[in-house]
Amino acid sequence: MPEQQRLIKKYPNRRLYDTRTSSYITLADVKDLVLNHEHFQVVDAKTGEDLTRSILLQIILEEEAGGAPMFTSDLLAHMIRFYGNAMQGMMGKYLESNIKAFTEMQVKLQDQARAIYGENSPVGQDLWAQFLNFQGPALQSMMGAYVDQSKKMFEQMQTQLESQTRNMFTGFQFPGYVRPEDEPAAPKGDGKK
């Protein structure tokens, strides 16, 4: 029988109560649950509202304020601009799939290290850090190329969607919109100055 999802209740006094251990826990404890890949849900003790995302965002905020932020101000500004944008849903899925791909790559590297060096080898335990130290610039270049390629594909998809949208609505009159093919041609000069 599969283990039930762990339920954590958040009380009005902002305390978190773990129903499995029957004890109060901290955000650091919730972070440990995440790091241990435990499935849990945080709910408001009074209303039953799901607060899991809110708690996870709080953990990210604390980590970002902790001195070694993962997100630059520029990246955060770009992310904020996607809210309310037609591409908002696609951006979330895009980021999620890229993080999954990166995680899978990391797991494969760790599996390969275990196969070569064994379970308890100090080299195997720290191989990812060593790999990044030696291959960091190459990996950054590879990831940069991947991001650039993804950006181009994303821009092409956006252009294609805009074009398809314009084609769908060609029969409608929009005030102030002139189709490119209806624009008057620029007068040609006679070449004399």
Side-chain angles (χ1 to χ4, degrees):
M1 184 168 164
E3 195 174 321
Q4 267 190 325
Q5 180 170 273
R6 194 169 193 151
L7 183 65
I8 299 169
K9 293 183 178 183
K10 184 175 181 192
Y11 285 92
N13 63 1
R14 299 172 56 148
R15 293 188 73 186
L16 300 168
Y17 183 79
D18 186 344
T19 59
R20 183 175 294 168
T21 62
S22 298
S23 61
Y24 286 100
I25 62 173
T26 64
L27 278 180
D29 296 322
V30 176
K31 178 185 170 188
D32 288 341
L33 295 176
V34 172
L35 294 174
N36 292 326
H37 299 276
E38 291 199 41
H39 295 284
F40 64 90
Q41 181 182 25
V42 181
V43 297
D44 185 285
K46 280 189 175 182
T47 66
E49 178 187 0
D50 187 352
L51 302 174
T52 309
R53 289 183 71 251
S54 173
I55 295 297
L56 293 173
L57 286 169
Q58 271 185 283
I59 293 169
I60 289 171
L61 186 60
E62 284 191 4
E63 290 295 317
E64 286 290 304
M70 187 183 310
F71 303 111
T72 64
S73 296
D74 193 38
L75 174 64
L76 291 171
H78 283 299
M79 289 173 67
I80 290 168
R81 288 182 194 111
F82 275 102
Y83 285 97
N85 187 306
M87 303 303 262
Q88 178 178 339
M90 291 176 64
M91 180 52 73
K93 291 187 186 331
Y94 172 78
L95 290 173
E96 186 175 351
S97 66
N98 280 302
I99 288 173
K100 282 182 182 177
F102 186 79
T103 304
E104 288 170 6
M105 182 177 74
Q106 187 178 13
V107 167
K108 285 180 184 176
L109 181 67
Q110 291 168 344
D111 289 345
Q112 290 172 351
R114 272 190 225 103
I116 294 170
Y117 299 110
E119 280 296 320
N120 296 323
S121 169
V123 175
Q125 292 174 358
D126 205 26
L127 189 63
W128 186 247
Q130 291 174 13
F131 175 77
L132 289 177
N133 284 339
F134 291 114
Q135 299 297 325
L139 185 63
Q140 285 178 345
S141 174
M142 181 181 77
M143 291 301 284
Y146 173 72
V147 168
D148 287 343
Q149 181 183 11
S150 296
K151 180 181 174 185
K152 287 177 186 170
M153 288 174 53
F154 195 74
E155 288 171 350
Q156 288 172 349
M157 184 176 61
Q158 190 172 11
T159 302
Q160 187 178 14
L161 284 171
E162 287 173 2
S163 174
Q164 289 174 349
T165 302
R166 274 192 220 102
N167 289 340
M168 278 179 24
F169 296 109
T170 55
F172 297 101
Q173 294 295 323
F174 294 101
Y177 176 72
V178 179
R179 294 185 311 174
E181 59 268 13
D182 294 339
E183 287 185 21
K188 294 184 180 182
D190 58 3
K192 297 179 185 174
K193 294 198 178 205

